[in-house]
Amino acid sequence: MKKTTSDLGMNRTGIATSPVDSADIIQAAQKRQPSHLGDDSLILKVRQQYAVESDGIGSVPPPTSLKGSNSKPTVFIDKLGERAAFERSGVRLYQGALAKFEVLGSWEGGPTREGLTRILNDELSHFGLVSEVLTKLGADPTAMTPCADVAAVTSMGLPAVVSDPRMNLRDTLHALLVAELTDNAGWEMLIELSRGLGHDTLAERFQLALDAEAEHLTLVRNWLSAGVTLEARATPVPRAEAGPGLTPTV
């Protein structure tokens, strides 16, 4: 049976697991002088120097048809590229969640195959929307823009959680919750930017995407909350919705 998130076990990461050895280590540390008597000013200078010498993380390919008065078109392209990259990653996250669902099943009030598939399809649709807009603006939807790069690096732990076989479905939902919170904020910013640049028609289309993302956030939060509550009460309620021949677990 798949272990739940909070099963008891021999966790050796804490100092309390070996009070005798930890006391010796603390005493030895107290007898020695620090290796450096300064503060963090030296590392701060190194970071500042690197920041001065860096040329940045990339550039935005010039669009061929985007026009706007008193605006810098590449900023809009950059944020569109960010959303395209994030939505593409969202598809992969939900593909991973579905794979774990098929093996582990769900719980009362937890995710369903239909619900996960619907969100996956929405993410794919949103990726298609942003790619379409980029193409119509004369931009390359396959380009990794600077903001897309930042978003990818910032969220690189999410696919690691989803793909880790040690992580159960609740752990995966935690990663999805982080992704959905970021996704909602990203769409809100893109809508505000669109309206500010006079792209009201695009803003209306993006608002429909945000409405769907808000629903995703509510679903994932509720699924995760139900799972955590059931585990805390130690009353697992299995569902009969796992793959063929597999027994769902909490």
Side-chain angles (χ1 to χ4, degrees), residues 1 6 22 67 196 250:
M1 178 180 293
S6 56
S22 60
K67 298 179 181 180
V250 172

Side-chain angles (χ1 to χ4, degrees), residues 43-237:
I43 188 62
L44 177 60
K45 289 181 180 179
V46 173
R47 289 169 176 164
Q48 290 172 336
Q49 186 62 33
Y50 275 119
V52 170
E53 296 175 354
S54 174
D55 293 329
I57 60 173
S59 59
V60 179
T64 60
S65 60
L66 181 61
K67 298 179 181 180
S69 59
N70 300 319
S71 65
K72 188 176 180 181
T74 50
V75 174
F76 191 47
I77 296 296
D78 194 12
K79 299 307 291 184
L80 286 169
E82 174 192 316
R83 294 264 42 83
F86 204 91
E87 297 302 313
R88 181 174 57 244
S89 297
V91 173
R92 294 168 180 162
L93 291 178
Y94 279 96
Q95 287 174 335
L98 271 167
K100 287 195 174 176
F101 173 88
E102 295 297 338
V103 173
L104 304 175
S106 187
W107 51 87
E108 185 66 32
T112 63
R113 183 183 294 106
E114 178 184 12
L116 290 171
T117 301
R118 182 161 62 100
I119 296 179
L120 187 157
N121 290 335
D122 283 347
E123 300 292 335
L124 183 59
S125 173
H126 297 164
F127 169 72
L129 166 62
V130 179
S131 296
E132 173 198 333
V133 172
L134 281 166
T135 300
K136 287 183 177 179
L137 294 176
D140 184 354
T142 68
M144 175 66 81
T145 68
C147 278
D149 200 354
V150 170
V153 174
T154 302
S155 59
M156 63 190 310
L158 302 180
V161 171
V162 174
S163 62
D164 193 326
R166 299 170 300 173
M167 306 288 184
N168 61 25
L169 186 56
R170 268 192 306 281
D171 300 325
T172 296
L173 286 176
H174 178 81
L176 294 179
L177 180 61
V178 173
E180 292 296 351
L181 287 166
T182 302
D183 210 5
N184 275 258
W187 280 107
E188 290 171 354
M189 184 176 297
L190 183 59
I191 291 170
E192 182 178 349
L193 179 61
S194 300
R195 295 195 187 282
L197 295 177
H199 302 299
D200 292 337
T201 300
L202 290 180
E204 292 176 2
R205 297 184 67 186
F206 295 156
Q207 182 62 53
L208 295 177
L210 175 58
D211 292 343
E213 294 295 348
E215 183 180 357
H216 300 171
L217 177 58
T218 298
L219 286 171
V220 171
R221 183 190 290 118
N222 289 344
W223 291 338
L224 179 58
S225 178
V228 172
T229 299
L230 281 174
E231 184 177 342
R233 292 174 177 171
T235 56
V237 182

Side-chain angles (χ1 to χ4, degrees), residues 7-42:
D7 282 351
L8 290 176
M10 185 53 72
N11 186 326
R12 298 182 176 86
T13 60
I15 194 173
T17 57
S18 183
V20 175
D21 292 332
S22 60
D24 291 341
I25 293 174
I26 293 173
Q27 290 175 5
Q30 291 173 338
K31 292 177 181 179
R32 296 179 61 85
Q33 291 293 325
S35 59
H36 191 280
L37 298 179
D39 51 24
D40 61 350
S41 58
L42 292 180

